[in-house]
């Protein structure tokens, strides 16, 4: 039976192309991955982090100016071990969200097609010692995170990532119940739920000061100002200050001054006497990760 082609995956404005090799296993476009993970030179990144046996050369065609197809030079694609080596080798700020996205969305979507299973015997050579050490180090970090984390949803995501590392290094996968413990989630305080309903209604483009897609940064005075401009009644800020630390989804992180993208956008066209400070004190939250496809 002919293998079904896989569609590209989208994440935070990036596209990740996925195809199947001759054995029906997925291969991931190395250039797309490197762009997502902040590698300046994809070819060097692949050479440094990925075993040669996990690199696949494939022709890629693009439409030219006339709409006709033209064949380009061979481009690098990587198998799943290479995918993980590139992710784990990246120091970009969005490497962790990408890792969670791959675990929660990309790989489950691929496996639903029935043409790829992690238990399938691999034809690739064993990973080299540096790559094994990287994966073992990542496994230890994930174990430590699991021991600290009590949110059931986050624990499941972390355990799925741990499972990937264990499969690549051929070590047993510990059961989730044997690592740390779960905390039964408490009901969301009404004031916190109201706050996030208002945030969702007004939108992050008006309220989120963070340039980092892995963070939500909200200034409470600015939140009150924008709500008033849109004639939305909100609670006194002192009540939010007492309650927002309990926010679990999005998860409260800390209160910290950040470089404001909203102020920067305002200052681009504002006169000198109307410019806003570059930094603003904000409440920082971790965005809710999208659920895996059903």
């Amino acid at each position: 039976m002919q293998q079904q082609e896989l569609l590209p995956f989208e994440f935070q404005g990036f596209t990740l192309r996925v195809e199947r090799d001759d054995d029906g296993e997925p291969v991931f476009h190395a250039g797309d991955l490197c762009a997502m993970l902040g590698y300046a030179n994809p070819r060097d990144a692949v050479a440094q982090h990925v075993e040669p046996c996990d690199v696949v050369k494939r022709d890629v065609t693009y439409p030219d100016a006339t709409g006709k197809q033209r064949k380009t030079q061979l481009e690098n694609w990587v198998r799943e071990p290479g995918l993980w080596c590139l992710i784990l080798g990246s120091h970009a700020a969005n490497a962790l969200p990408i890792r969670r996205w791959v675990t929660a969305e990309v790989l489950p979507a691929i496996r639903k097609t029935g043409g790829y299973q992690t238990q399938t015997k691999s034809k690739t050579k064993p990973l080299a010692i540096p790559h094994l050490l990287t994966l073992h180090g990542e496994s230890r970090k994930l174990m430590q995170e699991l021991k600290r984390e009590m949110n059931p949803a986050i624990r499941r995501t972390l355990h799925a990532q741990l499972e990937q590392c264990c499969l690549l290094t051929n070590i047993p996968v510990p059961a989730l119940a044997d690592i740390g413990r779960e905390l039964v989630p408490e009901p969301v305080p009404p004031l916190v739920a109201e706050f996030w309903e208002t945030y969702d209604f007004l939108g992050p483009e008006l309220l989120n000061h963070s340039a980092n897609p892995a963070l939500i940064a909200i200034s409470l005075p600015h939140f009150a100002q924008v709500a008033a401009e849109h004639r939305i009644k909100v609670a006194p800020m002192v009540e939010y200050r007492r309650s927002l630390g309990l926010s679990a989804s999005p998860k409260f992180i800390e209160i910290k001054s950040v470089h404001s993208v909203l102020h920067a956008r305002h200052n681009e066209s504002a006169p000198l006497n109307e410019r806003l400070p570059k930094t603003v004190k904000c409440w920082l939250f971790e965005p809710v990760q999208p659920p895996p496809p059903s």
Side-chain angles (χ1 to χ4, degrees), residues 152-217:
I154 297 177
R155 282 173 55 80
R156 287 193 295 271
T157 298
L158 291 172
H159 189 262
Q161 296 164 17
L162 176 63
E163 182 179 11
Q164 292 295 328
C165 289
C166 291
L167 289 172
L168 291 172
T169 52
N170 293 318
I171 61 175
V173 183
L176 177 59
D178 295 337
I179 312 171
R181 64 186 181 90
E182 291 187 358
L183 178 68
V184 178
E186 298 180 357
V188 178
L191 199 62
V192 175
E194 173 192 292
F195 177 86
W196 288 115
E197 287 175 3
T198 304
Y199 175 84
D200 290 337
F201 177 79
L202 294 172
E205 62 277 1
L206 293 181
L207 295 173
N208 187 5
H209 290 262
S210 175
N212 183 351
L215 285 178
I216 297 174

Side-chain angles (χ1 to χ4, degrees), residues 223 243 285:
F223 175 86
S243 303
F285 302 87

Side-chain angles (χ1 to χ4, degrees), residues 91-282:
H91 299 291
N94 63 340
L96 179 58
I98 289 174
R99 188 179 73 184
R100 291 177 175 173
W101 169 68
V102 167
T103 301
E105 180 175 337
V106 176
L107 295 180
I110 292 172
R111 289 169 187 141
K112 281 181 68 176
T113 66
Y116 172 66
Q117 300 292 333
T118 56
Q119 303 297 338
T120 302
K121 186 177 180 181
S122 174
K123 295 185 178 181
T124 61
K125 299 177 182 178
L127 293 174
I129 290 177
H131 296 81
L132 286 171
L133 291 176
T134 299
L135 290 169
H136 280 299
E138 185 66 18
S139 297
R140 287 194 296 270
K141 290 180 183 178
L142 289 168
M143 288 286 290
Q144 292 170 359
E145 289 184 55
L146 275 167
K147 290 177 181 177
R148 294 192 300 265
E149 183 59 59
M150 292 187 288
N151 183 294
I154 297 177
R155 282 173 55 80
R156 287 193 295 271
T157 298
L158 291 172
H159 189 262
Q161 296 164 17
L162 176 63
E163 182 179 11
Q164 292 295 328
C165 289
C166 291
L167 289 172
L168 291 172
T169 52
N170 293 318
I171 61 175
V173 183
L176 177 59
D178 295 337
I179 312 171
R181 64 186 181 90
E182 291 187 358
L183 178 68
V184 178
E186 298 180 357
V188 178
L191 199 62
V192 175
E194 173 192 292
F195 177 86
W196 288 115
E197 287 175 3
T198 304
Y199 175 84
D200 290 337
F201 177 79
L202 294 172
E205 62 277 1
L206 293 181
L207 295 173
N208 187 5
H209 290 262
S210 175
N212 183 351
L215 285 178
I216 297 174
I218 301 176
S219 163
L220 291 186
H222 178 243
F223 175 86
Q225 175 188 340
V226 175
E229 290 172 354
H230 289 77
R231 299 183 179 181
I232 298 176
K233 186 177 180 180
V234 296
M237 292 302 104
V238 64
E239 295 186 20
Y240 284 133
R241 292 188 181 97
R242 293 170 181 165
S243 303
L244 284 178
L246 302 175
S247 179
S249 181
K251 183 179 179 181
F252 171 69
I253 302 174
E254 62 179 334
I255 301 173
K256 183 180 179 181
S257 293
V258 300
H259 288 278
S260 171
V261 294
L262 301 182
H263 286 191
R265 191 183 309 150
H266 168 85
N267 292 342
E268 288 178 356
S269 57
L272 285 175
N273 61 341
E274 296 181 7
R275 292 187 178 179
L276 300 173
K278 293 182 179 180
T279 61
V280 61
K281 189 175 182 180
C282 291

